[in-house]
Amino acid sequence: MEIKGSDCEAINPDLVENLRPKMPEETLLYELSDFFKVMGDGTRIKLLWALDESELCVGDLAVLLNMTKSAVSHQLKVLKTAKLVKAKKKGKNVFYALNDHHVKSIIEKALEHICE
């Protein structure tokens, strides 16, 4: 069985045909790829790790990571746009936290994988 757009024949055509309808839609896979691109930045991973530990304001994150508040704010905006973090205003400060338990779980599972 030759696949359109492919230059080879399937070794296990029954398996290929069985898997084809289970493949997520291409747009969904691109969204998943974009999700990992956002998480693939070292600075953003540091921010996510810190927010996995505690809700923090921009100033505290800047001190913790030895960054400017402007740089932290820029990266938090990227994370917020990707729905990885949420913001809550308390008085004059805005505090950031991971958006939900899924983000926390992804970070913790990835760390667990790296540490094995």
Side-chain angles (χ1 to χ4, degrees):
M1 170 178 119
E2 193 171 322
I3 307 296
K4 186 178 178 180
S6 175
D7 65 349
C8 62
E9 284 191 33
I11 305 295
N12 300 294
D14 292 339
L15 181 60
V16 171
E17 283 308 308
N18 218 12
L19 289 174
R20 188 183 307 281
K22 296 176 185 176
M23 285 285 293
E25 290 186 28
E26 203 161 318
T27 55
L28 188 60
L29 292 173
Y30 280 122
E31 287 179 32
L32 183 61
S33 174
D34 289 342
F35 170 82
F36 282 109
K37 285 177 190 171
V38 169
M39 293 189 82
D41 178 87
T43 299
R44 290 192 288 264
I45 284 294
K46 289 177 189 176
L47 288 166
L48 290 169
W49 179 87
L51 295 174
D52 184 28
E53 293 295 313
S54 179
E55 180 179 88
L56 294 160
C57 67
V58 173
D60 289 343
L61 286 163
V63 171
L64 176 67
L65 302 179
N66 196 28
M67 295 173 62
T68 65
K69 288 198 306 188
S70 175
V72 168
S73 292
H74 172 74
Q75 296 300 336
L76 287 169
K77 182 179 178 184
V78 172
L79 293 170
K80 191 173 177 194
T81 300
K83 299 178 184 164
L84 295 173
V85 300
K86 59 186 174 185
K88 178 171 45 174
K89 192 160 175 85
K90 289 183 184 175
K92 292 190 273 181
N93 293 309
V94 177
F95 284 80
Y96 289 84
L98 296 182
N99 197 36
D100 59 33
H101 71 281
H102 296 110
V103 179
K104 183 176 182 66
S105 178
I106 290 166
I107 292 166
E108 290 172 355
K109 289 292 181 191
L111 277 170
E112 184 181 309
H113 176 74
I114 297 301
C115 292
E116 284 184 349

